[in-house]
Amino acid sequence: MEIVRFDHSNIDQLTKMIVELWPECKLDQEYTNCVKAMESERECYFLARAHGQYIAFIYLNLRFDYVEGASSSPVGYIEGIYVKPAFRKQGVAKMLIERAEKWCREKGTSFLGSDTETDNLDSVAFHQKVGFKVTNRLVTFIKKLT
């Protein structure tokens, strides 16, 4: 298994996985977003490849605004991480996290942040397993005004 940075050769496979993770997204819009990210110093995707196919990705961003629990800025932030179902619980996501940590250090950050829904217990357990600490739990609300 290898972890590679995304580029023009794997952007199609990346955008397909993005839509698998976030089905409400549009393939063509995500392709455009990935092309923009390719030129950015603040965003990066890494992909995991095994058996000649791309099986996972992690999407990273440098956040310069407040990140819960961080005492310095910028903070490397995991905006998304996805492993195809057939390859889960095999250490793929852990390898992506390790590569993310390296990218963050290269960018001069001291922290790596992430988030998940409070009811996504598998994600919460994974984050804790790879060394993340819970900094806050939050329920957000909205009310439509008439």
Side-chain angles (χ1 to χ4, degrees):
M1 170 148 1
E2 66 178 325
I3 306 297
V4 298
R5 190 171 183 147
F6 87 112
D7 59 26
H8 289 289
S9 71
N10 54 30
I11 195 169
D12 289 332
Q13 293 87 351
L14 172 60
T15 53
K16 287 175 186 171
M17 285 191 289
I18 290 171
V19 174
E20 288 175 27
L21 175 60
W22 295 302
E24 68 279 4
C25 295
K26 303 279 189 247
L27 194 62
D28 59 336
Q29 183 61 50
E30 292 309 316
Y31 187 94
T32 300
N33 292 341
C34 288
V35 169
K36 288 178 186 173
M38 220 176 280
E39 300 169 5
S40 174
E41 291 294 318
R42 293 177 61 166
E43 294 178 88
C44 186
Y45 290 88
F46 290 98
L47 292 88
R49 182 170 53 201
H51 313 294
Q53 65 177 316
Y54 291 98
I55 61 168
F57 77 89
I58 191 167
Y59 170 36
L60 304 167
N61 189 21
L62 291 179
R63 289 192 179 183
F64 290 84
D65 54 342
Y66 176 74
V67 173
E68 186 84 39
S71 59
S72 64
S73 180
V75 172
Y77 207 85
I78 299 170
E79 302 293 351
I81 186 167
Y82 175 74
V83 178
K84 289 185 176 190
F87 298 94
R88 292 179 183 165
K89 300 196 184 284
Q90 297 178 30
V92 178
K94 183 178 180 195
M95 289 178 66
L96 288 168
I97 295 287
E98 289 168 353
R99 184 60 184 96
E101 291 171 356
K102 181 179 179 201
W103 182 80
C104 289
R105 287 186 198 97
E106 291 167 354
K107 295 294 182 180
T109 65
S110 300
F111 294 93
L112 176 61
S114 185
D115 60 63
T116 191
E117 299 292 328
T118 57
D119 62 348
N120 189 342
L121 301 180
D122 288 341
S123 182
V124 171
F126 166 75
H127 279 84
Q128 291 174 320
K129 182 178 178 181
V130 296
F132 284 89
K133 305 290 182 232
V134 175
T135 59
N136 195 5
R137 292 199 181 242
L138 179 68
V139 177
T140 59
F141 298 92
I142 194 158
K143 179 179 182 179
K144 180 154 176 63
L145 302 177
T146 56

